[in-house]
Each structure stands twice: as structure tokens, then as C-alpha cells.
Amino acid sequence: QKEVEQDPGPLSVPEGAIVSLNCTYSNSAFQYFMWYRQYSRKGPELLMYTYSSGNKEDGRFTAQVDKSSKYISLFIRDSQPSDSATYLCAMSAKQTGANNLFFGTGTRLTVIP
Amino acid sequence: GAGVSQSPSNKVTEKGKDVELRCDPISGHTALYWYRQSLGQGLEFLIYFQGNSAPDKSGLPSDRFSAERTGGSVSTLTIQRTQQEDSAVYLCASSIAGVQETQYFGPGTRLLVL
């Protein structure tokens, strides 16, 4: 079983829609959760970073963590064509290091004008 | 520089040849990471350098893979005797003292082994 599971999509939505992206995980020790956005032929860029459970909002983006269900979500409100990218979740039990950071496979999102 | 840079951006090589991929991290970032991203796969950790500590090589898939970081800055990932399954995007990232929240990625090197 993979540490992190993410539906690869692809996901297509009309402009203005609310997008929900999700990941599940198996390791209950994970407490740092990240969402990255990766445009085509670019490296991932950090979008949201949360610690433990709860919600975090940044503009049109909301990250939600449910540790009891081992489930995290990223919501995008009023989606724009510029949001078209691959979204990767990542999580870790520690704040530092590298071999303890686990990534999902990414969900490819297309927002249609 | 303004961000993490990598070269070359694309590399096509023949099976059995050696390749070198270069990463120039953000100035002042003490930690440097190499990842591999294959189609349909998540980012696969390869190797991690943090300051003057011994590198964490636990992610290297075989002894054909090696990496160096000279002077605490530029890093080179070397793949010897390349195989077709080595074809992937190789991503470099750097961060402040290994703090994951401060990790910035380069654009990657797309390697194709024929």
C-alpha cells in the first residue's frame, strides 16, 4: 500500500466552478501537509502548508486536513483557466528532512474558459 | 540567482552512456534535494544534502546513481551506464536548513534514454 494515494484524474471543470482535490494516507504519524501546484514543464511550487488538523485559507484556496479519516483536501473557489495544472499533495511526520516527505502522484486539472 | 536552476533542461542519450545533471540552488539555502518524477508516479526521493552533514543517499535506486555537492552550493547528479528505465524528469530543490516548508524546486531536467 502506498503511503499517499491521490486520484490522478484528469479533472476538467468549467471556469468559475469549485474544485475539490483529495488525498488519503495510511501513516497516522503524518502531521505536516502540503499542496503543490505544478505547471507543465515546470517544477512544483508550494501552494499551501498546514500543520495537524483543521482548515487553512489563502485567497481562493482552502486546505483541509482530517486526521481522524487520514484525508486531506484542497478546494479552489471560482476556478480560473490559470489554475490548470497538476496538483500534488505531500505529507510528512517531521518538519525537516527529505526521505520522510511523501508525495501523491498528482491530479491533473483543466479549467475550461 | 532568483530561483533554483537546472541544466540541461532536456537530455537525450543512448543506453549505456553516462549523464551529468546540474543543479544550482538558491543562494543561502543549506539543504539540497534530488527527486525523480516519472509519468504517473509521484516524486521519488533520491538524495539529500544538508550543510556539512553526510548526504542521505537512501533513495538512490542503484549504484549507477551518485551525486556530489561542491562547496555547499552547486550539485551534480551522475547516472552511469544509463538504462531506458532511467528516463524521467529529474528535479532539484533547495531549502533553508532542510525545512520542508521552505523547499523550492527547479524546472527539472527531462532525460530520455534511447
Side-chain angles (χ1 to χ4, degrees), chain A residues 15-96:
Chain A
E15 182 175 354
I18 296 174
V19 176
S20 173
L21 304 166
N22 312 291
C23 289
T24 59
Y25 62 95
S26 55
N27 189 342
S28 58
F30 289 154
Q31 50 183 348
Y32 298 94
F33 303 93
M34 287 145 273
W35 285 96
Y36 287 84
R37 178 174 62 195
Q38 186 174 21
Y39 289 116
S40 181
R41 305 188 75 78
K42 301 287 187 183
E45 56 176 328
L46 183 65
L47 204 56
M48 300 286 280
Y49 181 88
T50 53
Y51 169 70
S52 194
S53 285
N55 293 1
K56 183 175 182 179
E57 191 173 318
D58 184 0
R60 297 184 295 110
F61 299 89
T62 299
Q64 200 170 73
V65 175
D66 182 349
K67 291 188 71 179
S68 62
S69 301
K70 298 192 183 68
Y71 188 87
I72 69 169
S73 301
L74 177 70
F75 298 97
I76 308 174
R77 291 185 299 281
D78 187 24
S79 55
Q80 302 295 308
S82 58
D83 296 328
S84 298
T86 297
Y87 290 81
L88 301 158
C89 63
M91 48 199 79
S92 176
K94 296 183 179 180
Q95 201 174 9
T96 61

Side-chain angles (χ1 to χ4, degrees), chain A residues 3-16:
Chain A
E3 296 272 359
V4 181
E5 297 279 357
Q6 184 175 10
D7 186 338
L11 182 62
S12 290
V13 300
E15 182 175 354

Side-chain angles (χ1 to χ4, degrees), chain B residues 22-23 36 41 46 52 55 60 70 73-74 91 96 104 111:
Chain B
R22 176 188 167 106
C23 172
R36 179 167 70 177
Q41 304 292 319
L46 297 177
N52 295 321
L60 295 177
T70 53
S73 182
V74 172
L91 290 161
I96 300 169
Y104 288 86
L111 174 67

Side-chain angles (χ1 to χ4, degrees), chain A residues 38 41 94-96 99-100, chain B residues 10 37 56 98 100 106 110:
Chain A
Q38 186 174 21
R41 305 188 75 78
K94 296 183 179 180
Q95 201 174 9
T96 61
N99 66 357
N100 54 13
Chain B
N10 295 281
Q37 186 176 34
D56 178 352
Q100 294 158 357
R110 282 149 195 82

Side-chain angles (χ1 to χ4, degrees), chain B residues 51-65:
Chain B
N52 295 321
S53 302
D56 178 352
K57 304 179 182 180
S58 60
L60 295 177
S62 76
D63 59 9
R64 297 186 296 106
F65 288 73

